[in-house]
Amino acid sequence: MKTTKYLVLGLMALLLLACSKTEEPIEALEAQLLKNTYTTMEMDMVAAINAYRASLGLNSVQLLDIASTQAAAHNDHMISHQETCHHFFHQRKHNIESHTSAAAVVENVAFAYRNAESAVAAWIKSPEHQKALVGDYNFVGIAANANADGRFYYTNIMVKK
């Protein structure tokens, strides 16, 4: 009987220690994984998008770290598969929507442009990509990552919250 009592007390102590708040909440851990620093090229891309939107009388878009995190992960995917694609867009869209209550999410990708401005210029010339740039969006996720040859992959995610 005494052994059972100590066993129960030991299990309870273990349970209390396991459930104690010594670890950070999941949200805090996720926030640490968010992209929150941007390269000059990425900031140039946001500036080019906002300049184009302003030329049309549209609002500027603000950086959204969760969307940039998704964009960077997609660039990693494109680099590892050596292709420009929209694979798994529905998953990126879902991740952004579930963390931000976004009403709309669209994506543009590009490869091998020498700088951010030329990638944005190419999107502007393409009707489908241009439509994404000028839509009713107020946030943007951006990533520009180079492959081993130094050629850049770009992902731009526009978000309406």
Side-chain angles (χ1 to χ4, degrees), residues 98-148:
S98 66
H99 282 86
T100 66
S101 302
V105 179
V106 296
E107 173 182 88
N108 287 331
V109 298
F111 170 66
Y113 290 93
R114 71 184 188 289
N115 57 39
E117 293 84 358
S118 60
V120 173
W123 288 332
I124 291 169
K125 290 177 185 174
S126 163
E128 280 302 308
H129 294 97
Q130 190 264 358
K131 182 178 170 184
L133 293 177
V134 301
D136 184 21
Y137 302 105
N138 50 1
F139 290 93
V140 63
I142 286 292
N145 303 82
N147 66 10

Side-chain angles (χ1 to χ4, degrees), residues 9-29:
L9 285 174
L11 287 173
M12 288 177 65
L14 238 151
L15 182 62
L16 286 173
L17 287 173
C19 294
S20 69
K21 196 167 182 166
T22 58
E23 294 182 27
E24 294 181 61
I26 296 292
E27 295 80 12
L29 292 173

Side-chain angles (χ1 to χ4, degrees), residues 13-83:
L14 238 151
L15 182 62
L16 286 173
L17 287 173
C19 294
S20 69
K21 196 167 182 166
T22 58
E23 294 182 27
E24 294 181 61
I26 296 292
E27 295 80 12
L29 292 173
E30 285 177 349
Q32 291 174 8
L33 300 175
L34 290 179
K35 180 176 181 65
N36 60 11
T37 58
Y38 295 89
T39 65
T40 300
M41 184 179 287
E42 290 165 337
M43 294 307 294
D44 288 348
M45 185 172 286
V46 174
I49 290 168
N50 279 331
Y52 179 63
R53 289 176 63 87
S55 75
L56 300 174
L58 300 172
N59 63 291
S60 63
V61 291
Q62 304 299 313
L63 282 166
L64 183 63
D65 289 344
I66 184 71
S68 295
T69 300
Q70 295 294 310
H74 184 55
N75 280 356
D76 290 343
H77 168 82
M78 291 191 295
I79 289 169
S80 69
H81 288 85
Q82 300 178 11
E83 64 179 333

